[in-house]
Amino acid sequence: MAPETSTLSTAALPRERAPMTQLLWQGGTIIALLLLIAFFTIMRPGVFLSVGNVTNILSQVAILTIIAAAQTVVMVVGDFDLSVGTNATLSGAAAAALMIGGTPVPAAILAGLAVGTLVGAINGILVAYLKLSAFVATLATMTTVGGLAFIVTDGTTLYGMPEEFAWLGQGSMLGLPMPVVFAMLVALLIWVVLRFTTIGRRWYAVGGNAEVARLSGVSVRATRFLAFTVAGFFSAAGGIILVSRLSSASSSSANNYMMLAVAAVFLGMTILRSGQANIGGTLVGVGIIGVLNNGLNILGVNTYVQQVLTGVIIIAAVILSALKKRDA
């Protein structure tokens, strides 16, 4: 009987790892962020970690943080939203066009948020109620919304928003740029919702196993619909703050944020053994992207090389996330 017991014990060994291996496996993304910071600090001592550059990094990733947080919500329920970037663009452009046309700033901002929320709700209807593939549905929405943004801006760059609107993207509070303050508030809000509320637990339940969640009494369709709607709202907020920061709106101002948001969320998914999306991990992913882009800019690396590296990061993050899910 002893040999059989030994065989059973050995069969369980693949899930057991040495402490150092487990640390690298579980915290590799955080370690990568720290190594990047150390590398660029050594390459540009006195520059990379200067107060001015750190503030610059935070400002650069603030909008990405908001849009990546929106993507996180959708990916928690096991779906995907390709329209977060164009949604942010359209919402910002709509608010800008209204302000230029004489609409009061608060009303224009609310209208822009409503546009983004509506786009998110449409995504939710297509995916949750009409049961279309999230990839196909949001790809179609991304294309449609991108065309609407072009119509709203008439293919030009919009300027001339009221001066008080600039505070959202160019003001400061307690020494922090306002986009950073808004990013922190959004991240904190979503963390609280995911961690401590019923809807957050329902989102995770649906993302873990939709059928089990349904049998447990969770309305899967309503839960998925709400996730897309919330993502639309926060995408719009990011787009409006971006317009304020740039003092302009174009037909493609936030489009590139979609891929960066996806990269950030996938990087964050590697932190948890389950491979689930989570806001804390997303912030680490945003940090990696922000530090990498800023450091490469300081070193004078070509922009196209940066895009290649971002693509490599996405591939690595997806592979690691898949391996964690298989190992969980």
Side-chain angles (χ1 to χ4, degrees):
M1 297 298 292
E4 184 177 350
T5 302
S6 175
T7 301
L8 290 173
S9 299
T10 304
L13 287 178
R15 289 184 179 274
E16 300 296 330
R17 294 186 175 88
M20 183 57 68
T21 303
Q22 182 65 26
L23 175 63
L24 293 174
W25 181 246
Q26 201 70 32
T29 308
I30 298 175
I31 294 172
L33 174 59
L34 296 176
L35 289 175
L36 280 174
I37 293 173
F39 172 76
F40 289 122
T41 300
I42 293 171
M43 294 299 293
R44 286 294 184 270
V47 175
F48 183 75
L49 284 183
S50 65
V51 174
N53 192 56
V54 170
T55 302
N56 186 39
I57 293 174
L58 292 175
S59 298
Q60 289 173 349
V61 301
I63 308 301
L64 173 59
T65 298
I66 297 173
I67 296 177
Q71 187 70 262
T72 300
V73 171
V74 176
M75 293 180 71
V76 162
V77 298
D79 287 314
F80 200 85
D81 190 351
L82 294 175
S83 69
V84 290
T86 54
N87 192 2
T89 297
L90 175 62
S91 301
L98 288 172
M99 283 183 278
I100 293 172
T103 303
V105 172
I109 292 174
L110 289 176
L113 292 173
V115 168
T117 304
L118 176 61
V119 172
I122 291 172
N123 283 332
I125 291 171
L126 294 175
V127 175
Y129 290 98
L130 299 183
K131 298 184 179 180
L132 298 181
S133 161
F135 182 87
V136 173
T138 59
L139 178 63
T141 307
M142 178 185 73
T143 304
T144 303
V145 170
L148 289 174
F150 189 88
I151 293 173
V152 169
T153 61
D154 198 24
T156 64
T157 301
L158 303 180
Y159 298 99
M161 282 74 77
E163 291 184 5
E164 57 267 30
F165 175 65
W167 178 81
L168 287 178
Q170 300 174 31
S172 63
M173 179 180 293
L174 301 176
L176 290 174
M178 286 309 302
V180 176
V181 174
F182 286 123
M184 293 170 60
L185 291 174
V186 169
L188 178 62
L189 175 60
I190 292 181
W191 176 76
V192 169
V193 170
L194 291 176
R195 178 81 175 177
F196 299 108
T197 68
T198 300
I199 187 59
R201 289 189 288 272
R202 288 177 178 174
W203 280 340
Y204 272 118
V206 171
N209 191 313
E211 181 60 19
V212 172
R214 185 186 68 81
L215 294 174
S216 300
V218 175
S219 176
V220 174
R221 289 185 297 181
T223 301
R224 296 173 74 191
F225 171 79
L226 181 60
F228 277 102
T229 305
V230 169
F233 174 85
F234 284 114
S235 296
I240 292 169
I241 295 171
L242 177 63
V243 168
S244 175
R245 182 186 176 196
L246 300 176
S247 295
S248 65
S250 71
S251 60
S252 60
S253 56
N255 290 5
N256 291 337
Y257 281 97
M258 187 275 289
M259 286 304 301
L260 295 176
V262 169
V265 178
F266 270 120
L267 282 169
M269 290 168 68
T270 66
I271 288 180
L272 295 184
R273 182 174 181 177
S274 62
Q276 288 182 309
N278 62 99
I279 192 64
T282 296
L283 293 178
V284 175
V286 168
I288 288 177
I289 293 172
V291 167
L292 183 64
N293 288 342
N294 180 269
L296 293 177
N297 283 333
I298 289 177
L299 296 179
V301 177
N302 189 287
T303 302
Y304 298 109
V305 174
Q306 297 182 32
Q307 292 179 354
V308 172
L309 290 175
T310 301
V312 171
I313 288 173
I314 295 175
I315 293 172
V318 171
I319 292 174
L320 285 174
S321 179
L323 289 174
K324 282 181 177 288
K325 283 186 176 180
R326 188 178 67 183
D327 191 56

